Amino acid sequence: MTHHNTSNEVWAEPFKIKMVELLKVTSREDREKAIKEAGYNTFLLKSEDVYIDLLTDSGVGAMSDRQWAGMMMGDEAYAGSANFYRLEATVKQYYSYQYTVPTHQGRGAENILSQILIKDGDYVPGNMYFTTTRLHQELAGGKFVDVIIDEAHDPASTHPFKGNVDIAKLDKLVAEVGAEKIPYVCIATAVNMAGGQPISLGNLKELRVWADKHDIMIVHDMTRVAENAYFIQQREDGYREKSIAEIVHEICSLTDAATMSSKKDAMVNIGGFLAMNSEALYEKACNLVVVYEGLHTYGGMAGRDMEALAIGITESLQDAHIRARVGQVEYLGNRLIDRGVPIVRPIGGHAVFLDARAILPHIPQSQYPAQALASALYVDGGVRVMERGAVSAGRNKETGEEFMPKLELVRLTLPRRVYTQAHMDVVVESVCRVMENADKIKGLKFAYEPEYLRFFRGKFEEIDA
């Protein structure tokens, strides 16, 4: 049975507001000037020129009074900080992993893990790529292979677990390259690029059996594991009576190692970690973390941030919190569906994804319709969102050809505990106005294209028809 927090259901946030940050409202003329100066890239806008910032949910959540209090308990010792041991114990208790190596954020963990496990010519299957993850895999000599179920590439499919792995695709890869060329399978919970879509525990258990049979590790990209657990609780048979904390523990216990960007689920402004159960892998990670991040007991994080992270982990697993967190995303998504806006279904856990192909059918994918739509949304209402389509997909590192993914999306990402339902209503009105005037939106071409992760710093110009 699927449960939805629809716009008709009355519910409220499990917190009250203690401090506010004032927002600046700009004119349309100001925003047109700002987006042009930013090369039609929302990443290059100044934050002070943004009214409602839905660019990301990374590092932008509101910390609780307890987390802020924890910041005052920072033990900034270079070695053996008390906050590290608190963090390590929290990861072990709630996520099941025996060893923790802190990193400055998730990609620090991806870099270390990729260098340890991947060798030249390896293949790394995963349930859809993520930008930084794939880049680290490629820089280490590996090649990413997508093994997510086909439904994940169809925005209209209402499959409840679009993050699931297609075991037949894994079998095909083993037949083609051999198990010894596959160092691990990378599993993201609440798959970002698919629209925040979850993997089921049933599928993960199947994958565990497959991985044991082939002696291949499972690495968990656990950035949004609590949101994935919520969908399991609501949609998967036998989990309705289980707590989010219990489900999260079960998910993690089915995997061997994990990378975590703590800036999402755990609601801190900076930080991440690499966690694992293998002592040998831990030793290798400790050797590398001192090269790239810092000593193995701080790894690029201040003691105060490790304390806030340990507290944030416990808060992220509270059922009332996650219900309100995903509930606000569903509220926004359902309001847009009611107004006829084409979005990825089912609604994801951290964001609503607009289908840019459907909204801008007159712009070919080679002219980056999702990038153009993201820019138009900023100009209309000062709402900053993110492209997740051809620009994000980048180029094939061997041929230089652009990847043209089936999903050409604009991501409206909700920070945790930051905005009200009224902000969501403003966003809905802005999206609808842009859609009504969609034929006026022009395609884009690169004016400047960086070598790596071009969506962060690339600049565009409009193509005059």
Side-chain angles (χ1 to χ4, degrees):
M1 178 187 165
T2 305
H3 168 83
H4 288 299
N5 286 318
T6 66
S7 49
N8 299 324
E9 184 182 347
V10 177
W11 61 279
E13 291 83 356
F15 55 82
K16 61 184 180 180
I17 295 165
K18 196 174 266 194
M19 185 169 72
V20 297
E21 177 186 341
L22 300 182
L23 298 173
K24 181 173 99 176
V25 181
T26 55
S27 69
R28 186 182 180 95
E29 190 181 23
D30 290 336
R31 295 192 295 271
E32 282 172 349
K33 185 168 175 274
I35 198 70
K36 202 167 184 180
E37 283 175 5
Y40 298 91
N41 186 346
T42 52
F43 278 97
L44 299 179
L45 290 165
K46 290 178 180 166
S47 146
E48 63 180 21
D49 294 331
V50 173
Y51 174 41
I52 299 175
D53 202 343
L54 307 185
L55 183 76
T56 183
D57 60 333
S58 180
V60 293
M63 290 206 299
S64 69
D65 52 356
R66 283 164 180 76
Q67 284 180 291
W68 280 110
M71 296 279 276
M72 295 297 104
M73 299 183 345
D75 172 10
E76 304 307 339
Y78 188 87
S81 162
N83 310 121
F84 165 73
Y85 295 109
R86 165 90 188 272
L87 173 61
E88 183 184 51
T90 304
V91 170
K92 199 179 286 189
Q93 179 183 348
Y94 291 107
Y95 295 151
S96 84
Y97 303 112
Q98 297 304 298
Y99 302 99
T100 301
V101 178
T103 56
H104 76 282
Q105 63 185 74
R107 71 195 62 166
E110 290 172 349
N111 175 39
I112 290 166
L113 185 85
S114 298
Q115 290 206 38
I116 294 170
L117 293 182
I118 299 170
K119 52 190 192 304
D120 223 19
D122 277 350
Y123 294 82
V124 187
N127 56 344
M128 206 173 275
Y129 83 98
F130 184 66
T131 50
T132 58
T133 318
R134 186 178 70 188
L135 179 60
H136 284 303
Q137 290 165 354
E138 288 175 350
L139 290 172
K143 184 177 182 184
F144 168 79
V145 181
D146 191 3
V147 293
I148 205 164
I149 59 173
D150 289 342
E151 287 88 343
H153 295 281
D154 175 7
S157 167
T158 55
H159 191 293
F161 292 104
K162 284 164 96 170
N164 280 359
V165 170
D166 186 333
I167 302 291
K169 289 181 183 176
L170 281 173
D171 286 337
K172 183 169 176 278
L173 182 63
V174 168
E176 285 171 7
V177 305
E180 66 284 353
K181 285 270 193 189
I182 303 172
Y184 62 90
V185 182
C186 185
I187 294 308
T189 35
V191 182
N192 188 359
M193 303 301 276
Q197 301 297 324
I199 182 172
S200 72
L201 265 166
N203 183 251
L204 193 52
K205 286 172 184 171
E206 265 186 84
L207 179 65
R208 182 73 264 172
V209 170
W210 182 92
D212 289 342
K213 176 181 157 191
H214 294 283
D215 197 24
I216 294 171
M217 286 177 64
I218 299 176
V219 171
H220 178 197
D221 175 351
M222 62 178 296
T223 297
R224 299 182 178 88
V225 67
E227 289 161 15
N228 199 112
Y230 176 79
F231 288 126
I232 288 170
Q233 185 191 61
Q234 301 301 322
R235 298 176 186 173
E236 194 163 359
D237 288 344
Y239 288 92
R240 183 51 70 96
E241 303 308 316
K242 296 247 175 149
S243 70
I244 295 298
E246 287 172 312
I247 297 168
V248 164
H249 194 278
E250 187 174 346
I251 292 169
C252 294
S253 68
L254 289 164
T255 67
D256 301 296
T259 58
M260 175 64 154
S261 170
S262 311
K263 298 163 69 176
K264 282 84 168 177
D265 260 358
M267 296 171 289
V268 288
N269 302 127
I270 197 70
F273 58 79
L274 177 59
M276 68 285 285
N277 295 320
S278 158
E279 190 177 359
L281 184 59
Y282 174 65
E283 282 303 319
K284 288 180 182 174
C286 288
N287 285 333
L288 273 187
V289 78
V290 296
V291 178
Y292 293 106
E293 303 280 324
L295 199 67
H296 67 288
T297 54
Y298 78 89
M301 290 182 74
R304 57 182 172 266
D305 290 317
M306 288 190 281
E307 188 68 26
L309 169 53
I311 297 165
I313 287 170
T314 63
E315 290 182 0
S316 75
L317 301 177
Q318 292 166 359
D319 285 65
H321 158 72
I322 203 70
R323 177 174 179 260
R325 189 302 185 265
V326 178
Q328 189 175 48
V329 180
E330 291 188 331
Y331 175 87
L332 174 61
N334 283 317
R335 289 289 316 276
L336 289 168
I337 288 170
D338 291 345
R339 298 286 290 271
V341 177
I343 68 169
V344 172
R345 302 193 196 196
I347 298 161
H350 70 295
V352 175
F353 290 71
L354 307 179
D355 185 350
R357 282 177 188 273
I359 295 171
L360 303 177
H362 64 289
I363 299 180
Q365 196 174 17
S366 59
Q367 293 180 13
Y368 315 123
Q371 192 75 35
L373 182 57
S375 299
L377 277 167
Y378 170 72
V379 169
D380 178 82
V383 179
R384 176 158 67 167
V385 295
M386 184 194 294
E387 183 271 0
R388 278 295 179 231
V391 176
S392 291
R395 294 182 182 273
N396 184 307
K397 70 166 188 171
E398 284 147 19
T399 67
E401 276 185 70
E402 288 191 291
F403 292 115
M404 287 293 165
K406 288 182 182 167
L407 298 176
E408 182 73 15
L409 309 174
V410 168
R411 190 180 84 178
L412 282 57
T413 334
L414 271 59
R416 292 160 186 79
R417 306 192 291 206
V418 170
Y419 291 115
T420 66
Q421 305 299 68
H423 287 111
M424 298 303 101
D425 294 338
V426 169
V427 172
V428 170
E429 294 306 320
S430 185
V431 171
C432 291
R433 278 195 303 272
V434 168
M435 205 164 104
E436 282 163 21
N437 296 289
D439 57 341
K440 296 188 179 76
I441 298 173
K442 296 174 181 175
L444 299 172
K445 63 182 178 184
F446 269 103
Y448 164 65
E449 183 179 354
E451 185 179 357
Y452 299 124
L453 301 173
R454 62 187 191 171
F455 62 92
F456 280 135
R457 292 176 49 251
K459 288 198 162 194
F460 302 85
E461 50 195 35
E462 286 187 330
I463 296 170
D464 287 312

